[in-house]
Amino acid sequence: KSVPAVLLIGTIVLAQSSPRAMFERARMLDDSNRNLTEAIKLYTQVVNDAKSDRGLAAWAQFRIGVLWVRTHKLADAARAYKSVIAQFPGQPELVTRAKARLAELAARTKAAAKISISTERAPDDRRWLATLKLPAGYSFSRAAIDTAGRRLYSFAIRIRPLRGDLESKRAVRRGLRDVYEPSTLVVVDLDTSSIIRTVPFQLFLGDVVLNPITGLLYASAVADGCVKVIDTRTLLEKASIRLEGFPSGVEVNPITNRVYATCQGFSGNDKLFVIDAETNTVSAKVDLEGIGSKVVVNTATNRVYVTVAEPPKIRVFDGETNEATEDLPELRVFVADSLNNRIYAAVARSHVPTDELRASTGSLTLR
């Protein structure tokens, strides 16, 4: 007679631990950024079943909001955060965080709504195919081109001075001198010279590069200290690679499947981070001995070239060993022509850098 009682107790314990087990499964998918739809379903089940554990249910509801943001469903994210506030008043820490996330969502959605891209017709002499124009104050980031898929990817970006608003306070807390507003990914059809998709992201994404073999975009998030990985098939974030400092330039070697990111914020000795794109982990961090910015890769020689300021130079690295091989003084690198084994550079102090020229135009001309 005692055996059924033991079995009954075991069944009750199992039932009580089920929401926790579901939460852990959801968190594994959440942390690995895989099958987010399933993760949201599991979190939702936790909210429904964890009647006796309000803290767990509140955390699950909060993570639902986070995942909706990650999949760019902002209205669903807002509803999820509002549910945290309404349903879990006894969890003050999470209520405070949900209110902050709602305020950020409102500010970033408002900023993203300002992005209106106009297309100008080609002139009669066909000197160019089309011109895409952004509102005043916005500019296009460097473009990543998929020649096989006939697509061009660029971010509409805006950097503004600090004010007294929430985004300015957030920037100050992160040690930034400006507000880096959320970026919008612009996808252009190369054959028709027309915009086929715009995707607002909830953070600033600047430099961007494409691995043509894997179809993945890598974009630097200077204000958030990471490199975002975006799948061009879905235009959704696939992974986030955390880095030290403030990432600026990014480049990829599709042959070795390594990603390179320059990061500032190291008291004049910025770093070049080497990322294993197979695992999305940092495999090396090397000194630049100056202020790092643009990075390019010559896949023919597996050499990495980084523009460094103060003092101005190009620092050259061996892509196999990640060791610096030489410095080329008074130069800044533009682009690598791996097919012809050439690197194009300019004298560092010659004229206004191309990044500043591009930012002043706020337009992208397709020739």
Side-chain angles (χ1 to χ4, degrees), residues 99-109 166-167 170 202:
K99 288 180 178 179
R101 293 294 180 96
L102 270 176
E104 287 184 10
L105 264 183
R108 295 182 174 193
T109 302
L166 179 66
E167 286 298 300
R170 182 171 177 260
Q202 295 305 299

Side-chain angles (χ1 to χ4, degrees), residues 2-3 12 15 17 73 119 132 194 202 229 260 292 304 328:
S2 62
V3 174
I12 293 173
S17 66
K73 296 183 178 179
T119 304
L132 312 178
S194 60
Q202 295 305 299
V229 186
Y260 300 90
V304 183
L328 308 176

Side-chain angles (χ1 to χ4, degrees), residues 148-287:
R150 307 300 296 160
R151 295 289 183 268
L152 178 148
Y153 302 90
S154 180
F155 285 102
I157 62 176
R158 186 185 184 206
I159 303 172
R160 63 170 175 83
L162 296 172
R163 299 172 188 160
D165 58 354
L166 179 66
E167 286 298 300
S168 295
K169 294 176 181 178
R170 182 171 177 260
V172 171
R173 286 197 303 269
R174 296 189 175 191
L176 300 169
R177 298 178 181 178
D178 297 286
V179 173
Y180 291 79
E181 293 191 347
S183 301
T184 296
L185 179 62
V186 181
V187 185
V188 177
D189 186 315
L190 292 177
D191 293 322
T192 62
S193 301
S194 60
I195 298 172
I196 58 174
R197 183 101 180 260
T198 59
V199 182
F201 281 76
Q202 295 305 299
L203 75 169
F204 179 91
L205 294 170
D207 203 15
V208 61
V209 67
L210 170 73
N211 185 333
I213 296 176
T214 62
L216 298 177
L217 292 171
Y218 297 88
S220 58
V222 59
D224 290 79
C226 62
V227 168
K228 294 293 186 180
V229 186
I230 302 167
D231 192 331
T232 56
R233 292 168 296 184
T234 62
L235 298 180
L236 296 178
E237 178 186 324
K238 185 178 177 66
S240 180
I241 306 168
R242 181 64 56 183
L243 301 176
E244 302 172 49
F246 305 101
S248 53
V250 64
E251 187 59 277
V252 63
N253 186 335
I255 296 176
T256 62
N257 204 19
R258 287 184 178 181
V259 177
Y260 300 90
T262 56
C263 286
Q264 300 180 357
F266 295 90
S267 302
N269 185 17
D270 290 346
K271 312 299 178 188
L272 176 68
F273 286 84
V274 184
I275 301 167
D276 182 342
E278 184 67 30
T279 60
N280 290 326
T281 57
V282 175
S283 57
K285 178 179 72 173
V286 292
D287 293 336

Side-chain angles (χ1 to χ4, degrees), residues 82-113:
K82 288 177 182 177
S83 294
V84 174
I85 299 168
Q87 297 179 23
F88 303 97
Q91 306 295 321
E93 179 184 349
L94 280 177
V95 167
T96 300
R97 293 178 68 172
K99 288 180 178 179
R101 293 294 180 96
L102 270 176
E104 287 184 10
L105 264 183
R108 295 182 174 193
T109 302
K110 183 179 179 181

Side-chain angles (χ1 to χ4, degrees), residues 57-67 80-81 84 94 97-98 101:
W59 262 114
Q61 184 63 51
F62 183 82
R63 293 308 303 176
I64 290 172
V66 172
L67 295 190
Y81 290 136
V84 174
L94 280 177
R97 293 178 68 172
R101 293 294 180 96

